[in-house]
Each structure stands twice: as structure tokens, then as C-alpha cells.
Amino acid sequence: MIKSPIGILLAAAGVILAVSPDARKAVRKFAVKGTEWMLDLNDQLKAGIKEVKLVNVRSGNDEIHASNGGILSSEQPHIDQ
């Protein structure tokens, strides 16, 4: 049943966690720190993606505005203000 070295390690870890309250505290502490780290990383990635999208939208709008600058006055002079 437990023939691989990974299986033996997992079984030993399970026994240690079942028997030792100190081991459970340590694992709980590492789990909380790991979760905190993952949530911080997620927030940083979301903020970075939002900044990239905003920069791309602004630059795209500027390019469109610049390329369409003279169309109104040249093609429809009666609308020109």
C-alpha cells in the first residue's frame, strides 16, 4: 500500500500531526502565512493588471484622437465649428 518514499513521508507526517500539538501549531502557522502571502500576491497582480489596462486604454484613445483629428473639418466643412 505505502511503497513509494513519498507515501512513507506522507504517512509519517500524518502520524506526527495526529500525535503532536506543537506540530499542528507549526503547520497552522505556516498555512496562515502561506495564505496571507498568496492573498497579497493576488492583490499586487490585480493592481498591476489594472494599471496596465488603464495605460493601454489611454494610449489607444490618444492614438485614435490624433489620427481622427482632421477628418471632421476636411470631409464635412458645414459641421466645422
Side-chain angles (χ1 to χ4, degrees):
M1 184 170 146
I2 304 174
K3 296 180 181 180
S4 71
I6 295 174
I8 294 170
L9 288 174
L10 290 175
V15 169
I16 291 171
L17 286 174
V19 175
S20 173
D22 291 335
R24 287 192 297 269
K25 285 181 185 178
V27 169
R28 188 179 308 122
K29 182 195 271 187
F30 286 123
V32 169
K33 290 289 185 182
T35 303
E36 180 184 3
W37 181 78
M38 291 299 291
L39 290 173
D40 287 342
L41 180 64
N42 188 21
D43 289 342
Q44 289 175 359
L45 287 174
K46 283 182 181 179
I49 288 170
K50 186 181 285 188
E51 287 178 13
V52 168
K53 283 184 180 179
L54 288 176
V55 167
N56 289 339
V57 168
R58 285 186 201 127
S59 65
N61 286 341
D62 292 343
E63 290 174 8
I64 291 170
H65 182 66
S67 66
N68 293 336
I71 291 176
L72 185 62
S73 61
S74 64
E75 292 183 5
Q76 301 176 356
H78 61 283
I79 298 178
D80 193 21
Q81 297 169 339

